[in-house]
Every structure is written in C-alpha cells, then in structure tokens.
Amino acid sequence: MSKGLLLIWLIFFFQLVSLSTSSKDISFVFNGFGQSNLSLVGSATLLPNGLLQLAKDSQHQMGHAFIKKPVEFSSSKPLSFSTHFVCALVPKPRFEGGHGITFVISPSVDFTRAQPTRYMGIFNASISGSPSSHLFAVELDTVRNPDFRETNNNHVGIDVNDPISVESAPASYFSKTEQKNVSINLSSGDPIQVWVDYHGTVLNVSVAPLEAEKPSLPLLSRSMNLSEIFSSRRLFVGFAAATGTSISYHYLLGWSFSTNMELLQLLDFSKLPQVPRPRAEHKKLPFVLIIALTVILAIIVMAVLAGVYAEVSEPWEKVCGSK
Ligand SMILES: *[C@@H]1O[C@H](CO)[C@@H](O)[C@H](O)[C@H]1NC(C)=O
Ligand SMILES: *[C@@H]1O[C@H](CO)[C@@H](O)[C@H](O)[C@H]1NC(C)=O
Ligand SMILES: *[C@@H]1O[C@H](CO)[C@@H](O)[C@H](O)[C@H]1NC(C)=O
Ligand SMILES: *[C@@H]1O[C@H](CO)[C@@H](O)[C@H](O)[C@H]1NC(C)=O
Ligand SMILES: *[C@@H]1O[C@H](CO)[C@@H](O)[C@H](O)[C@H]1NC(C)=O
Ligand SMILES: *[C@@H]1O[C@H](CO)[C@@H](O)[C@H](O)[C@H]1NC(C)=O
C-alpha cells in the first residue's frame, strides 16, 4: 500500500520535473518566412515567395530580422542552444559582394546606433569591444577588412562585443564523401547551410552547401562562456545584414532554433523559397540579340528600298531622258 503510494508519488514527481523543464525549452522552425512572425527593421523585407531579404540592394544599408518575444533561457542551467539556417549571398551585378550576414544573440533589438559596412549592422565604431555591448554574433563576412585583422574576404567568424572576431576561418567544410576540407564561396549565390551549437562550454560553427550533410567536424570550435557576455537571460535571437560600397542581396531561406539540441526541428528543404538570380546577367544576351536583329533588319530594309529605287528610277530616267 505505502509502496504503491510512493510509486504514484514518484511518477507524479518525475512528470512534474519533465513538464517544467520541457516547457522552458523553446523550439521553432521556419521553412520560408511567409508565416514567420519576425519583426523586420531597417531595410529587411519579406518577399512574396517567403524569402527574407535582409538588406536593400543599395549602398550603406542595414536590415534586421529578430523574433518578437525574447527567448527566456533557463537560469538554473548553463545557457545552451542549437540553430540551423540556410542563407544565400548574391552579389549585385557590377558590384563587389558585401558585407555579409550575422546570426545574433542580444538582450536588445535596438540597433539604431549600429553602423553598416564592416560593422555588419550590429556594432558601431565607438563602442566596439566594450563589454557593455552584450552582443554575440556569428558572421559570414565577404569583405576583407585589414584593420579588423581579417586575412580573407570569405570567412566565418565568432564575434563577442566586437567586429574583430575572437576566432575565424576561411569558409570551408569537412566533406564526408571526399574525406577532406572543401572550401565554400560564400558569395556564390548558392544556398549555404549554417549550424551553431552551444551547450554551456564549447561553441561550434559549421557551414556546408545545401546538398551536404552536417559536417562531422565543425569549422570553428571554441571554448567560451556565453553567460559572461549577457547580464540577462531574456535574449533576442535573429539576423542582421549590411552593405557598404560592396553590395550583395542577403537572403534567408529557412531557420530552425531550439534551446535544446534534441528538440531542434529539421528544415524541410523542399519548402524553402527559390533564390532569384540578378536579372542583368540574363538580360545581356537578349539585349545583344535585339541590337543585332535590328541592325540586320535595317540593312535588309535599306537593301530592298535601294533595289526598288533602282528599279523605279530606271524607267523614270528613260522617260525623262526621251523628253
Ligand atoms: C506573433 O507575435 C505576436 C507578438 O509576439 C504574438 O502575439 C502572436 O501570437 C504571434 N503569432 C504567431 C502566429 O506566432
Ligand atoms: C555607438 O553606440 C553607443 C551606444 O548605443 C552610442 O552611445 C554611440 O553614440 C554610438 N556611436 C555612433 C558613432 O553611432
Ligand atoms: C565566388 O562567386 C562569385 C559569384 O559567382 C564570383 O564573382 C567570385 O569570383 C567567386 N569567388 C571565388 C574565390 O571563387
Ligand atoms: C563541438 O565539436 C566538438 C568536436 O567535434 C564535439 O566534440 C562537441 O561535442 C561539439 N559540441 C557541440 C555543442 O556541438
Ligand atoms: C579541416 O578543417 C578543420 C577546421 O578548420 C581543421 O581543424 C582540420 O585540421 C582540417 N583538416 C584537414 C584534413 O585539412
Ligand atoms: C560562466 O559564467 C557565469 C557568469 O559569470 C558563471 O556563473 C559560470 O560559473 C561560468 N561557467 C563556467 C563553466 O565557467
């Protein structure tokens, strides 16, 4: 009798514990952003096909897309999360591509004081490096800034309160099929998968093309304590992008996020929106063709007219000459 009661109590207790821990975990997935409910600020816009365009295709633009309500990270556990997203960076025709996309965790979504270009739309020149920034970001950076100690215009970096990355590496992934590191062109315009995992002590970042699996070895793996960056556990997660004199179309296709790696939902690639390719390149051929056809047509018309004139004028001259 008392054993039975204890058992019931134990079952009740464990259900309560599992309920309270699972209710604190937050998970969401967006396959396209049509129903996403994100707050879009600056030049971020949602395109009709569900593609999220983060920065306008002109100079010195910033765009931000964040969840509307902050994530309440559990204060009784070490801060942890997993995220997987797909983005595409398409250089504007006749421009260098730039500057890049960042995945951001921040206690505030007020980026009115932030600057575009190499500050990526989240940092600014005067407070860079200050712990009062309370900013964590993973950057896909497509412009090389030597004053930020960047050696390469195609890198992935971990940023803590500062656009000077604490760690970065040229974009590449460990390919399972080829059993070697394969480099990725972030500015190719092709969709790129990005994973960021943090479980209290080590932060891992991986990138890969759409057709590849999650690499077994992360590109960046760094020991860090994210709890030291933030004074609050109410944190917004989202994305920013910025242009400068270098301009790319910065697109986000899909995003999955969870505070618990086991609950991270899979992205459904079949539902992701298509990335438009800049029209200028496609227009070139028809435009050349139109010019060529017009010239050929003009020559034919002139030749025909000249022939008709010759035929008409001959008898006319004869008539005139005889008079
Ligand atoms: C969208 O966000 C608002 C504000 O956070 C919330 O009230 C609303 O329920 C959300 N809608 C959906 C469909 O998630
Ligand atoms: C940078 O941000 C800080 C804090 O928001 C602000 O006080 C400062 O004026 C900003 N600087 C610039 C150059 O925008
Ligand atoms: C990356 O792709 C872009 C767009 O196709 C191209 O302009 C650029 O040269 C490529 N970069 C490298 C290093 O291959
Ligand atoms: C990070 O990567 C290392 C090395 O591959 C791995 O041992 C570790 O479990 C990973 N951690 C997370 C949180 O993914
Ligand atoms: C592949 O890249 C990873 C991450 O940058 C590095 O740790 C590893 O040594 C590289 N492996 C090879 C075979 O080059
Ligand atoms: C991380 O930082 C927080 C806040 O400073 C501290 O309470 C915690 O013990 C640190 N965790 C580790 C593993 O050092």
Side-chain angles (χ1 to χ4, degrees):
M1 173 83 180
S2 68
K3 265 185 184 172
L5 204 69
L6 187 70
L7 198 70
I8 289 169
W9 259 108
L10 277 177
I11 290 169
F12 178 68
F13 178 70
F14 279 116
Q15 277 195 335
L16 203 74
V17 167
S18 68
L19 246 174
S20 63
T21 49
S22 67
S23 68
K24 275 179 190 157
D25 284 320
I26 287 169
S27 273
F28 54 80
V29 64
F30 304 128
N31 293 297
F33 291 86
Q35 314 291 325
S36 71
N37 206 14
L38 298 180
S39 72
L40 305 184
V41 179
S43 61
T45 46
L46 182 63
L47 302 184
N49 69 348
L51 201 59
L52 192 59
Q53 185 179 340
L54 279 165
K56 224 166 35 191
D57 60 335
S58 43
Q59 296 191 340
H60 305 289
Q61 298 293 315
M62 295 189 279
H64 303 97
F66 280 78
I67 51 167
K68 282 186 180 153
K69 268 175 36 187
V71 175
E72 302 269 1
F73 286 93
S74 161
S75 51
S76 58
K77 292 188 290 185
L79 202 152
S80 69
F81 68 90
S82 281
T83 192
H84 179 200
F85 61 91
V86 177
C87 62
L89 283 66
V90 186
K92 187 173 181 172
R94 298 182 304 280
F95 282 85
E96 290 278 313
H99 272 251
I101 284 185
T102 51
F103 166 73
V104 185
I105 304 183
S106 163
S108 153
V109 284
D110 179 8
F111 291 104
T112 46
R113 304 306 254 300
Q115 293 174 300
T117 66
R118 58 198 176 147
Y119 298 101
M120 308 295 276
I122 50 174
F123 301 106
N124 84 20
S126 55
I127 57 157
S128 279
S130 157
S132 66
S133 302
H134 300 299
L135 268 179
F136 167 82
V138 171
E139 60 170 43
L140 302 192
D141 192 338
T142 56
V143 176
R144 176 178 174 253
N145 298 295
D147 19 336
F148 287 177
R149 296 176 218 145
E150 297 173 357
T151 55
N152 164 302
N153 69 350
N154 188 53
H155 61 269
V156 180
I158 301 168
D159 301 346
V160 175
N161 299 326
D162 198 326
I164 301 177
S165 303
V166 292
E167 188 154 341
S168 78
S172 75
Y173 73 108
F174 186 78
S175 162
K176 205 176 180 180
T177 48
E178 296 177 58
Q179 284 295 310
K180 62 169 183 153
N181 287 340
V182 177
S183 70
I184 298 184
N185 182 351
L186 296 177
S187 301
S188 68
D190 296 331
I192 297 161
Q193 304 188 68
V194 183
W195 295 265
V196 184
D197 296 299
Y198 180 71
H199 292 193
T201 48
V202 177
L203 185 107
N204 290 346
V205 182
S206 300
V207 292
L210 202 57
E211 61 277 9
E213 289 176 38
K214 183 177 182 178
S216 51
L217 291 171
L219 173 64
L220 301 173
S221 186
R222 187 180 174 88
S223 213
M224 55 201 296
N225 186 350
L226 288 189
S227 302
E228 287 173 349
I229 305 173
F230 306 111
S231 47
S232 157
R233 288 276 177 144
R234 300 182 78 239
L235 299 167
F236 292 92
V237 288
F239 298 87
T243 64
T245 50
S246 310
I247 303 173
S248 287
Y249 298 88
H250 297 90
Y251 297 119
L252 215 55
L253 288 73
W255 178 28
S256 180
F257 178 91
S258 180
T259 51
N260 181 339
M261 194 181 202
E262 277 76 51
L263 300 180
L264 186 73
Q265 296 165 76
L266 291 177
L267 287 169
D268 183 347
F269 288 174
S270 68
K271 289 188 187 152
L272 299 185
Q274 293 288 316
V275 175
R277 290 305 179 132
R279 267 176 276 126
E281 278 176 59
H282 299 294
K283 262 189 175 170
K284 255 178 206 163
L285 192 69
F287 185 67
V288 166
L289 270 180
I290 287 166
I291 295 277
L293 285 176
T294 311
V295 168
I296 291 168
L297 204 71
I299 290 171
I300 291 172
V301 168
M302 277 160 75
V304 168
L305 281 180
V308 170
Y309 175 77
E311 268 174 34
V312 169
S313 62
E314 256 174 61
W316 174 248
E317 269 165 19
K318 273 176 197 160
V319 173
C320 285
S322 66
K323 265 195 176 175

PDB file of all heavy atoms in Angstrom, residues 290-305:
ATOM      1  N   ILE A 290      18.765  41.658 -79.717  1.00  0.00           N
ATOM      2  CA  ILE A 290      17.834  42.667 -80.221  1.00  0.00           C
ATOM      3  C   ILE A 290      18.587  43.679 -81.078  1.00  0.00           C
ATOM      4  O   ILE A 290      18.163  44.013 -82.190  1.00  0.00           O
ATOM      5  CB  ILE A 290      17.093  43.371 -79.046  1.00  0.00           C
ATOM      6  CG1 ILE A 290      16.059  42.403 -78.458  1.00  0.00           C
ATOM      7  CG2 ILE A 290      16.425  44.667 -79.502  1.00  0.00           C
ATOM      8  CD1 ILE A 290      15.503  42.812 -77.107  1.00  0.00           C
ATOM      9  N   ILE A 291      19.734  44.154 -80.585  1.00  0.00           N
ATOM     10  CA  ILE A 291      20.552  45.124 -81.329  1.00  0.00           C
ATOM     11  C   ILE A 291      20.947  44.515 -82.681  1.00  0.00           C
ATOM     12  O   ILE A 291      20.768  45.122 -83.741  1.00  0.00           O
ATOM     13  CB  ILE A 291      21.827  45.484 -80.524  1.00  0.00           C
ATOM     14  CG1 ILE A 291      21.441  46.225 -79.229  1.00  0.00           C
ATOM     15  CG2 ILE A 291      22.804  46.292 -81.376  1.00  0.00           C
ATOM     16  CD1 ILE A 291      21.208  47.704 -79.380  1.00  0.00           C
ATOM     17  N   ALA A 292      21.456  43.266 -82.630  1.00  0.00           N
ATOM     18  CA  ALA A 292      21.934  42.606 -83.845  1.00  0.00           C
ATOM     19  C   ALA A 292      20.794  42.448 -84.853  1.00  0.00           C
ATOM     20  O   ALA A 292      20.943  42.755 -86.045  1.00  0.00           O
ATOM     21  CB  ALA A 292      22.526  41.240 -83.495  1.00  0.00           C
ATOM     22  N   LEU A 293      19.631  41.993 -84.344  1.00  0.00           N
ATOM     23  CA  LEU A 293      18.478  41.784 -85.220  1.00  0.00           C
ATOM     24  C   LEU A 293      18.015  43.099 -85.841  1.00  0.00           C
ATOM     25  O   LEU A 293      17.682  43.159 -87.030  1.00  0.00           O
ATOM     26  CB  LEU A 293      17.324  41.145 -84.447  1.00  0.00           C
ATOM     27  CG  LEU A 293      17.502  39.650 -84.139  1.00  0.00           C
ATOM     28  CD1 LEU A 293      16.359  39.135 -83.293  1.00  0.00           C
ATOM     29  CD2 LEU A 293      17.606  38.835 -85.444  1.00  0.00           C
ATOM     30  N   THR A 294      18.026  44.173 -85.023  1.00  0.00           N
ATOM     31  CA  THR A 294      17.604  45.489 -85.514  1.00  0.00           C
ATOM     32  C   THR A 294      18.524  45.943 -86.649  1.00  0.00           C
ATOM     33  O   THR A 294      18.062  46.431 -87.692  1.00  0.00           O
ATOM     34  CB  THR A 294      17.644  46.516 -84.359  1.00  0.00           C
ATOM     35  OG1 THR A 294      16.969  45.958 -83.246  1.00  0.00           O
ATOM     36  CG2 THR A 294      16.993  47.821 -84.756  1.00  0.00           C
ATOM     37  N   VAL A 295      19.839  45.756 -86.430  1.00  0.00           N
ATOM     38  CA  VAL A 295      20.818  46.181 -87.444  1.00  0.00           C
ATOM     39  C   VAL A 295      20.620  45.387 -88.737  1.00  0.00           C
ATOM     40  O   VAL A 295      20.552  45.960 -89.835  1.00  0.00           O
ATOM     41  CB  VAL A 295      22.268  46.003 -86.903  1.00  0.00           C
ATOM     42  CG1 VAL A 295      23.289  46.163 -88.022  1.00  0.00           C
ATOM     43  CG2 VAL A 295      22.527  47.005 -85.780  1.00  0.00           C
ATOM     44  N   ILE A 296      20.455  44.044 -88.579  1.00  0.00           N
ATOM     45  CA  ILE A 296      20.266  43.187 -89.754  1.00  0.00           C
ATOM     46  C   ILE A 296      18.996  43.587 -90.504  1.00  0.00           C
ATOM     47  O   ILE A 296      18.989  43.748 -91.735  1.00  0.00           O
ATOM     48  CB  ILE A 296      20.202  41.684 -89.342  1.00  0.00           C
ATOM     49  CG1 ILE A 296      21.592  41.225 -88.860  1.00  0.00           C
ATOM     50  CG2 ILE A 296      19.724  40.810 -90.494  1.00  0.00           C
ATOM     51  CD1 ILE A 296      21.593  39.870 -88.177  1.00  0.00           C
ATOM     52  N   LEU A 297      17.930  43.828 -89.736  1.00  0.00           N
ATOM     53  CA  LEU A 297      16.651  44.211 -90.320  1.00  0.00           C
ATOM     54  C   LEU A 297      16.790  45.535 -91.077  1.00  0.00           C
ATOM     55  O   LEU A 297      16.299  45.680 -92.218  1.00  0.00           O
ATOM     56  CB  LEU A 297      15.599  44.344 -89.209  1.00  0.00           C
ATOM     57  CG  LEU A 297      14.149  44.182 -89.660  1.00  0.00           C
ATOM     58  CD1 LEU A 297      13.867  42.730 -90.008  1.00  0.00           C
ATOM     59  CD2 LEU A 297      13.183  44.649 -88.583  1.00  0.00           C
ATOM     60  N   ALA A 298      17.495  46.481 -90.465  1.00  0.00           N
ATOM     61  CA  ALA A 298      17.702  47.795 -91.087  1.00  0.00           C
ATOM     62  C   ALA A 298      18.447  47.654 -92.410  1.00  0.00           C
ATOM     63  O   ALA A 298      18.095  48.289 -93.413  1.00  0.00           O
ATOM     64  CB  ALA A 298      18.467  48.701 -90.126  1.00  0.00           C
ATOM     65  N   ILE A 299      19.474  46.779 -92.416  1.00  0.00           N
ATOM     66  CA  ILE A 299      20.270  46.563 -93.637  1.00  0.00           C
ATOM     67  C   ILE A 299      19.388  45.971 -94.740  1.00  0.00           C
ATOM     68  O   ILE A 299      19.404  46.430 -95.880  1.00  0.00           O
ATOM     69  CB  ILE A 299      21.485  45.632 -93.345  1.00  0.00           C
ATOM     70  CG1 ILE A 299      22.494  46.389 -92.466  1.00  0.00           C
ATOM     71  CG2 ILE A 299      22.145  45.148 -94.646  1.00  0.00           C
ATOM     72  CD1 ILE A 299      23.620  45.526 -91.926  1.00  0.00           C
ATOM     73  N   ILE A 300      18.554  44.973 -94.357  1.00  0.00           N
ATOM     74  CA  ILE A 300      17.670  44.333 -95.343  1.00  0.00           C
ATOM     75  C   ILE A 300      16.706  45.364 -95.917  1.00  0.00           C
ATOM     76  O   ILE A 300      16.529  45.474 -97.139  1.00  0.00           O
ATOM     77  CB  ILE A 300      16.900  43.150 -94.685  1.00  0.00           C
ATOM     78  CG1 ILE A 300      17.879  42.008 -94.357  1.00  0.00           C
ATOM     79  CG2 ILE A 300      15.787  42.646 -95.609  1.00  0.00           C
ATOM     80  CD1 ILE A 300      17.267  40.878 -93.548  1.00  0.00           C
ATOM     81  N   VAL A 301      16.086  46.142 -95.003  1.00  0.00           N
ATOM     82  CA  VAL A 301      15.116  47.155 -95.445  1.00  0.00           C
ATOM     83  C   VAL A 301      15.784  48.145 -96.391  1.00  0.00           C
ATOM     84  O   VAL A 301      15.247  48.479 -97.455  1.00  0.00           O
ATOM     85  CB  VAL A 301      14.494  47.876 -94.223  1.00  0.00           C
ATOM     86  CG1 VAL A 301      13.712  49.111 -94.654  1.00  0.00           C
ATOM     87  CG2 VAL A 301      13.582  46.905 -93.477  1.00  0.00           C
ATOM     88  N   MET A 302      16.996  48.599 -96.036  1.00  0.00           N
ATOM     89  CA  MET A 302      17.710  49.571 -96.877  1.00  0.00           C
ATOM     90  C   MET A 302      18.043  48.958 -98.233  1.00  0.00           C
ATOM     91  O   MET A 302      17.906  49.623 -99.273  1.00  0.00           O
ATOM     92  CB  MET A 302      18.987  50.043 -96.165  1.00  0.00           C
ATOM     93  CG  MET A 302      18.685  51.172 -95.172  1.00  0.00           C
ATOM     94  SD  MET A 302      19.971  51.368 -93.947  1.00  0.00           S
ATOM     95  CE  MET A 302      21.221  52.151 -94.930  1.00  0.00           C
ATOM     96  N   ALA A 303      18.472  47.664 -98.196  1.00  0.00           N
ATOM     97  CA  ALA A 303      18.833  46.989 -99.442  1.00  0.00           C
ATOM     98  C   ALA A 303      17.609  46.870-100.357  1.00  0.00           C
ATOM     99  O   ALA A 303      17.666  47.148-101.564  1.00  0.00           O
ATOM    100  CB  ALA A 303      19.398  45.597 -99.141  1.00  0.00           C
ATOM    101  N   VAL A 304      16.469  46.483 -99.746  1.00  0.00           N
ATOM    102  CA  VAL A 304      15.232  46.338-100.516  1.00  0.00           C
ATOM    103  C   VAL A 304      14.820  47.684-101.094  1.00  0.00           C
ATOM    104  O   VAL A 304      14.504  47.809-102.284  1.00  0.00           O
ATOM    105  CB  VAL A 304      14.110  45.735 -99.629  1.00  0.00           C
ATOM    106  CG1 VAL A 304      12.755  45.844-100.323  1.00  0.00           C
ATOM    107  CG2 VAL A 304      14.421  44.275 -99.296  1.00  0.00           C
ATOM    108  N   LEU A 305      14.870  48.712-100.241  1.00  0.00           N
ATOM    109  CA  LEU A 305      14.488  50.053-100.691  1.00  0.00           C
ATOM    110  C   LEU A 305      15.380  50.521-101.845  1.00  0.00           C
ATOM    111  O   LEU A 305      14.910  51.077-102.834  1.00  0.00           O
ATOM    112  CB  LEU A 305      14.563  51.043 -99.523  1.00  0.00           C
ATOM    113  CG  LEU A 305      13.371  51.005 -98.560  1.00  0.00           C
ATOM    114  CD1 LEU A 305      13.557  52.030 -97.457  1.00  0.00           C
ATOM    115  CD2 LEU A 305      12.055  51.261 -99.296  1.00  0.00           C
TER     116      LEU A 305
END
